């Protein structure tokens, strides 16, 4: 059954807010890096503090019974364990990229991801891709090739970010758990990883997050910034087609790209050409989506008697 118009509109708004948050994430991670946080510690702190905020969300929304059901249903728990692995890979690659002057590569990954969602929609959910969709995918593929030439290697960081998040979206769309419950269980499953990372860091390079009140504040804020957009994403992803999610996701890498350029990352002519093809694909996709919506509205008006 299709979502009601009001629910669809709310899902669209939630998706927009979600991708704006993800778009400005590099600013948070760059600030934490300047404060002395390493990329592995940022990953660990995100996971651990996210548990606390996700727990509050579960209590406020009355989802404890659903949490118990998920934790006692092996199949659902297995799917969420897999989605946890995917999001940890995504977080790790993204945090490392934004704290090591590779924000442009991270943005490329999130430009690729919406087009992967289109292909996933075709293969997994039997969604249709028209000729304009294939043109968009083709333009993006050219962009990836040009990026590889510009870098002198395959854009592995971009590809890891793109494929891990596409896989996460597919799993969360299929798993039998609502947004709040699924996120809380994922955060619970992250606890061993977070504790393990912090113990290892404490024995090697040290841990910054507990050294003073300001650092506590940075650590806690990383958990809040993690939970809010993930809840919005998981909630909207279950109510919107993957193709619509893909359209919204072009907003986040655009903001990330701007941050990367503003922070002084190298933007060579070949990299500009690479992004130009990516942007062309995004523009074709967006234009085709708008045309389809207009055609649908016209069809509905024609069916309404005068």
């Amino acid at each position: 059954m299709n979502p009601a118009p009001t629910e669809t509109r709310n899902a669209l708004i939630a998706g927009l807010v979600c991708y704006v948050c993800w778009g400005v994430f590099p600013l948070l991670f760059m600030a934490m890096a300047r404060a002395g946080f390493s990329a592995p510690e940022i990953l660990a702190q995100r996971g651990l503090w996210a548990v606390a905020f996700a727990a509050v969300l579960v209590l406020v929304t009355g989802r404890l019974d659903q949490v118990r059901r998920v934790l006692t249903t092996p199949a659902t728990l297995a799917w969420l364990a897999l989605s946890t692995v995917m999001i940890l890979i995504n977080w790790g690659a993204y945090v490392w990229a934004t704290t090591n002057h590779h924000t442009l590569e991270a943005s490329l990954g999130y430009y690729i991801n919406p087009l992967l969602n289109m292909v996933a929609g075709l293969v997994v959910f039997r969604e249709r891709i028209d000729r304009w969709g294939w043109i968009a995918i083709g333009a993006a593929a050219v962009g990836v090739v040009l990026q590889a030439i510009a870098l002198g290697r395959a854009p592995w960081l971009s590809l890891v970010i793109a494929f891990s998040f596409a896989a996460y979206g597919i799993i969360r769309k299929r798993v039998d758990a609502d947004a709040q419950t699924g996120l809380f269980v994922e955060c619970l499953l992250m606890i061993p990883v977070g504790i393990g990372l912090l113990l290892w860091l404490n024995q090697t390079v040290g841990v910054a997050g507990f050294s003073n009140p300001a650092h506590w504040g940075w650590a806690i804020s990383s958990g809040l910034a993690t939970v809010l957009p993930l809840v919005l994403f998981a909630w909207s992803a279950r109510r919107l087609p993957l193709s619509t999610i893909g359209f919204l996701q072009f907003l986040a890498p655009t903001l990330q790209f701007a941050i990367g350029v503003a922070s002084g990352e190298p933007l060579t002519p070949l990299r500009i050409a690479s992004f130009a093809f990516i942007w062309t694909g995004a523009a074709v996709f967006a234009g085709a989506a708008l045309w389809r919506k207009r055609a649908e509205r016209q069809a509905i008006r024609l069916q309404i008697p005068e």
Side-chain angles (χ1 to χ4, degrees):
M1 186 170 64
N2 293 327
T6 300
E7 186 177 51
T8 300
R9 184 179 65 251
N10 291 340
L12 186 61
I13 293 171
L16 283 169
V17 175
C18 158
Y19 286 114
V20 168
C21 290
W22 275 326
V24 300
F25 255 12
L27 297 176
L28 171 63
F29 300 145
M30 289 174 182
M32 292 181 71
R34 288 193 295 269
F37 288 80
S38 65
E41 184 181 355
I42 293 173
L43 177 63
Q45 297 284 7
R46 287 185 72 182
L48 290 178
W49 285 107
V51 176
F53 288 104
V56 171
L57 191 64
V58 164
L59 291 173
V60 169
T61 57
R63 297 295 202 280
L64 279 178
D65 287 341
Q66 294 188 35
V67 170
R68 293 191 196 97
R69 178 182 61 79
V70 169
L71 292 176
T72 56
T73 306
T76 304
L77 192 58
W79 278 113
L80 286 173
L82 184 57
S83 69
T84 302
V85 172
M86 291 299 103
I87 202 61
L88 281 173
I89 292 172
N90 182 267
W91 287 1
Y94 184 61
V95 168
W96 188 90
T98 56
T99 56
N100 286 274
H101 308 291
H102 292 282
T103 304
L104 290 178
E105 280 190 70
S107 72
L108 177 66
Y110 285 116
Y111 273 121
I112 297 169
N113 179 250
L115 303 173
L116 285 181
N117 283 341
M118 291 173 62
V119 176
L122 172 69
V123 175
V124 180
F125 300 105
R126 300 293 187 266
E127 296 178 1
R128 181 174 168 270
I129 299 179
D130 59 20
R131 63 177 178 176
W132 297 110
W134 287 115
I135 290 172
I137 292 170
V142 173
V144 171
V145 171
L146 289 177
Q147 186 77 190
I149 296 172
L151 293 171
R153 55 174 171 79
W156 295 115
L157 193 58
S158 304
L159 295 174
V160 168
I161 287 172
F163 278 91
S164 60
F165 200 66
Y168 178 76
I170 292 169
I171 295 167
R172 286 309 307 266
K173 195 171 178 70
R174 297 179 68 93
V175 73
D176 183 22
D178 62 33
Q180 295 90 340
T181 302
L183 175 61
F184 177 65
V185 173
E186 286 172 341
C187 291
L188 285 178
L189 295 172
M190 291 179 195
I191 289 177
V193 177
I195 292 175
L197 269 176
L198 289 179
L199 289 174
W200 173 71
L201 289 169
N202 191 53
Q203 295 297 319
T204 54
V205 297
V207 174
F210 309 119
S211 59
N212 60 57
H215 285 185
W216 274 88
W218 282 119
I220 294 170
S221 68
S222 71
L224 177 60
T226 294
V227 168
L228 177 61
L230 269 177
V231 168
L232 295 172
F233 172 78
W235 188 82
S236 62
R238 291 176 63 85
R239 291 160 175 82
L240 296 173
L242 271 179
S243 55
T244 303
I245 290 293
F247 173 73
L248 291 177
Q249 193 168 353
F250 288 121
L251 178 61
T254 301
L255 294 171
Q256 294 161 8
F257 177 88
I259 291 170
V261 172
S263 63
E265 293 184 22
L267 190 61
T268 64
L270 197 54
R271 293 192 84 176
I272 292 173
S274 167
F275 278 101
F277 274 96
I278 297 288
W279 293 330
T280 298
V284 169
F285 179 83
L290 291 174
W291 183 87
R292 284 194 298 270
K293 289 295 182 184
R294 181 184 299 176
E296 289 173 4
R297 287 196 296 267
Q298 289 177 345
I300 291 172
R301 283 198 296 268
L302 289 173
Q303 292 174 2
I304 299 175
E306 295 293 338

